[in-house]
Amino acid sequence: MKNNFLKVTGFAALAFTGYAYWSTKQLRTTDYNIVSAKIAPELDGFRILQLSDMHGDTFGRYNHRLIKKIWAIDPDIIVVTGDLLDGDEGINTAITLMRKLARRYPIYYVTGNHEARSANLEDLLPELEKAGITYLKNQHVYIERDGKSFALAGIDDPSMLIQKPHQLTFAEEIACEEEIVEAELKEATTGIPDSIFTLLLSHRPEKWPLYQQASVDLVCCGHAHGGQVRFPFTEGLYAPHQGFMPKWTAGLKEANGKAMIISRGVGNATLVPRIFNEPDLPIIILRHK
């Protein structure tokens, strides 16, 4: 009886481990229809693919599966919300992927906390520029179709400006980050008319209260990895900078007339596997109200 129990337990553990690995290599899309009177009829149906938290991961040889998936989606533009690298790892993978995608689509990029701590950042940014990718460093551009446009703004991850966060207490680091993000938001959105629909790219979803005070309509974030282990009716088990039982890890959040879309991300940057939390490719579809 005991041997049978051990066999069943061992088989269940093996099956769960296999599922956990298999699920980290799936690529799921989620459509988000964003409706606003600020979105002109000419922009109705404009499709934006969000790619976040690659962490140098791969899907098939040379990322063939991921590239094929994106080509099938065929977005109007791609927005990358940080963490292309995993520290100092994955730079060649990230550059190769971005080059291939940039041949077909306009790409707009903001940094994440992993870029901030990477010694390879000085190599990454020039290569992205060579590929024609727009790095939104606390600035905005206008995306136009048929004579009408919306504003696309982006801010750096606050850790880009905190040189030695380990010398700060957690409370001091959070206060410093919030001060940085407030200044970045102001710099990135200054000059955008109130009548123009504004999409903000930022790595950090936990700054949602600050985004609600900014002159933006929609924010795209990543960073939280979907809470890593997603239990039913929760936002997951743990997220960076939010801790255990986090509040903002995935999906669409709305408050005070603003909206935030949080990608669960694509890669896996921790020893704990993604469980019930498949890689995520949000597709944002602009709709005229």
Side-chain angles (χ1 to χ4, degrees):
M1 191 76 173
K2 183 178 179 181
N3 286 339
N4 287 338
F5 174 77
L6 291 175
K7 287 179 181 178
V8 171
T9 303
F11 177 78
L14 184 63
F16 185 77
T17 301
Y19 161 76
Y21 175 78
W22 174 85
S23 67
T24 64
K25 295 302 179 182
Q26 304 311 299
L27 290 164
R28 303 300 186 199
T29 60
T30 307
D31 288 357
Y32 296 95
N33 285 280
I34 302 299
V35 182
S36 172
K38 288 185 175 183
I39 297 170
E42 290 83 354
L43 294 169
D44 190 89
F46 193 96
R47 299 167 76 246
I48 303 163
L49 174 70
Q50 183 186 0
L51 184 62
S52 194
D53 296 86
M54 279 293 301
H55 293 289
D57 213 341
T58 57
F59 293 82
R61 192 177 185 188
Y62 306 120
N63 261 315
H64 172 75
R65 287 181 52 238
L66 175 58
I67 293 169
K68 187 176 179 181
K69 183 83 171 181
I70 293 173
W71 284 356
I73 295 168
D74 198 25
D76 291 291
I77 64 172
I78 296 173
V79 296
V80 182
T81 47
D83 282 5
L84 275 173
L85 312 176
D86 187 15
D88 291 335
E89 300 295 325
I91 182 169
N92 292 331
T93 299
I95 290 172
T96 300
L97 174 64
M98 290 294 100
R99 281 175 179 164
K100 288 182 178 179
L101 293 177
R103 290 172 190 159
R104 287 203 180 199
Y105 308 107
I107 301 178
Y108 301 86
Y109 163 80
V110 294
T111 55
N113 59 304
H114 277 247
E115 281 93 340
R117 69 191 196 200
S118 173
N120 286 323
L121 184 64
E122 293 180 357
D123 298 319
L124 175 67
L125 295 180
E127 290 299 325
L128 296 183
E129 184 178 4
K130 285 180 187 177
I133 293 165
T134 301
Y135 168 29
L136 292 173
K137 182 179 173 63
N138 309 324
Q139 63 193 89
H140 65 267
V141 295
Y142 293 100
I143 309 299
E144 184 176 321
R145 186 169 78 177
D146 296 335
K148 298 295 181 180
S149 61
F150 67 92
L152 180 63
I155 62 173
D156 262 340
D157 190 85
S159 59
M160 296 286 285
L161 293 178
I162 302 176
Q163 299 299 320
K164 296 181 180 180
H166 60 277
Q167 294 182 350
L168 304 175
T169 66
F170 180 73
E172 289 172 338
E173 184 178 345
I174 294 301
C176 186
E177 284 183 352
E178 297 208 343
E179 185 178 336
I180 290 170
V181 170
E182 286 179 342
E184 289 180 330
L185 287 169
K186 184 177 181 180
E187 181 180 357
T189 59
T190 295
I192 301 175
D194 292 338
S195 60
I196 296 289
F197 183 86
T198 301
L199 167 57
L200 171 72
L201 307 182
S202 177
H203 188 58
R204 305 283 194 100
E206 74 272 14
K207 306 306 180 186
W208 178 219
L210 295 181
Y211 305 148
Q212 293 175 48
Q213 301 170 29
S215 299
V216 300
D217 301 289
L218 172 65
V219 188
C220 285
C221 300
H223 187 54
H225 306 156
Q228 204 64 32
V229 179
R230 289 188 72 82
F231 298 116
F233 311 111
T234 75
E235 287 282 333
L237 180 63
Y238 179 86
H241 293 92
Q242 295 185 60
F244 289 99
M245 306 311 292
K247 292 194 287 186
W248 304 298
T249 67
L252 176 65
K253 313 298 177 187
E254 295 179 294
N256 297 320
K258 316 281 185 178
M260 175 171 69
I261 293 171
I262 311 168
S263 170
R264 296 192 308 273
V266 176
N268 193 70
T270 72
L271 294 175
V272 179
R274 301 169 67 111
I275 298 175
F276 309 124
N277 179 22
E278 293 169 346
D280 183 30
L281 293 170
I283 302 170
I284 300 101
I285 306 165
L286 303 185
R287 296 295 185 191
H288 170 69
K289 184 175 182 179

